[in-house]
Amino acid sequence: KEDIPSNFTIDSNGLTIQRTGIGNGVLLQKQTNLNNRYLEIFVKLKSDTKLYLGNQFVETNVGKAFAVVDCAGGKLDIYALDSTTTIEATKPIPFAIVNDRTYIVRLFKLENLTRFEIVDTVTGASETLEKHQLGQFDKYKIGVISSSGNVVIPKISIKSLESEKPFVIFYGDSITEGNAVGSLAKT
């Protein structure tokens, strides 16, 4: 979904994010209600890129969980829920970001734990940052806060970590059934 005209393009190279700024992200138009899951992107970074991944309930803001790969600062940050200004957890990235190299960036939601991870696809080096945060969030947003060039994302996946006898439950939407799964009044 394009929030702002000319914010991104999709071609044989993948998704190219062209505008910078927290509000100029790309919203994935898939609602994800999986517990123990993660968003995984393969992304070509610049050494000065600040890239964010977030989860949200609504389309007009970054919203609930928000995490940043700060390549120039050499760190990972997880922000307070509903904040794009208050950092709750930070950790240095123990390797340099090489211009135009592909990295794997993952944002996990594991029960009440938010985990943020970067992996260098050439060396295999990685770093992980975790913060306990409540909530399971529905839609993903990816964006670039700042960068000296366009950021290209050749692959995006949402993956479940459930392995033992997974099952799918279908139930009505929020209008017909309400928002509280398990509520005696609604389900």
Side-chain angles (χ1 to χ4, degrees):
K1 176 178 168 60
E2 189 164 3
D3 290 344
I4 298 172
S6 302
N7 189 31
F8 68 89
T9 58
I10 298 175
D11 58 23
S12 61
N13 294 319
L15 170 71
T16 301
I17 299 177
Q18 297 161 328
R19 286 195 183 196
T20 59
I22 291 174
N24 293 330
V26 176
L27 180 70
L28 302 183
Q29 278 295 87
K30 297 277 186 189
Q31 182 162 319
T32 305
N33 294 85
L34 297 171
N35 197 16
N36 295 321
R37 68 176 189 266
Y38 62 97
L39 170 69
E40 177 180 80
I41 65 170
F42 286 70
V43 57
K44 293 182 181 180
L45 295 172
K46 305 285 185 193
S47 60
D48 65 347
T49 298
K50 285 182 83 172
L51 173 82
Y52 73 81
L53 275 62
N55 304 75
Q56 61 191 40
F57 289 126
V58 296
E59 300 173 5
T60 57
N61 60 28
V62 172
K64 303 299 175 184
F66 180 69
V68 173
V69 174
D70 182 349
C71 299
K75 61 183 182 148
L76 300 176
D77 296 321
I78 295 177
Y79 285 70
L81 293 182
D82 292 322
S83 176
T84 57
T85 57
T86 304
I87 297 172
E88 283 194 330
T90 190
K91 195 172 198 182
I93 301 171
F95 50 89
I97 301 297
V98 178
N99 274 330
D100 296 318
R101 180 176 287 177
T102 299
Y103 295 84
I104 301 170
V105 179
R106 296 180 180 119
L107 180 63
F108 292 79
K109 199 59 191 165
L110 308 168
E111 302 292 336
N112 291 326
L113 180 72
T114 299
R115 178 184 295 157
F116 195 45
E117 178 179 74
I118 185 169
V119 179
D120 184 322
T121 59
V122 173
T123 67
S126 66
E127 188 56 78
T128 301
L129 175 63
E130 295 180 342
K131 176 68 182 160
H132 285 278
Q133 295 180 317
L134 297 176
Q136 298 294 322
F137 309 114
D138 300 327
K139 290 188 179 181
Y140 288 102
K141 193 167 186 178
I142 304 166
V144 178
I145 297 170
S146 61
S147 185
S148 60
N150 290 340
V151 172
V152 178
I153 302 171
K155 183 177 177 183
I156 300 171
S157 303
I158 298 172
K159 298 182 178 183
S160 172
L161 295 171
E162 299 298 331
S163 61
E164 293 186 25
K165 297 183 182 180
F167 59 91
V168 177
I169 299 172
F170 295 91
Y171 59 94
D173 63 14
S174 60
I175 295 169
T176 60
E177 298 294 329
N179 287 323
V181 175
S183 166
L184 293 176
K186 299 293 184 182
T187 306

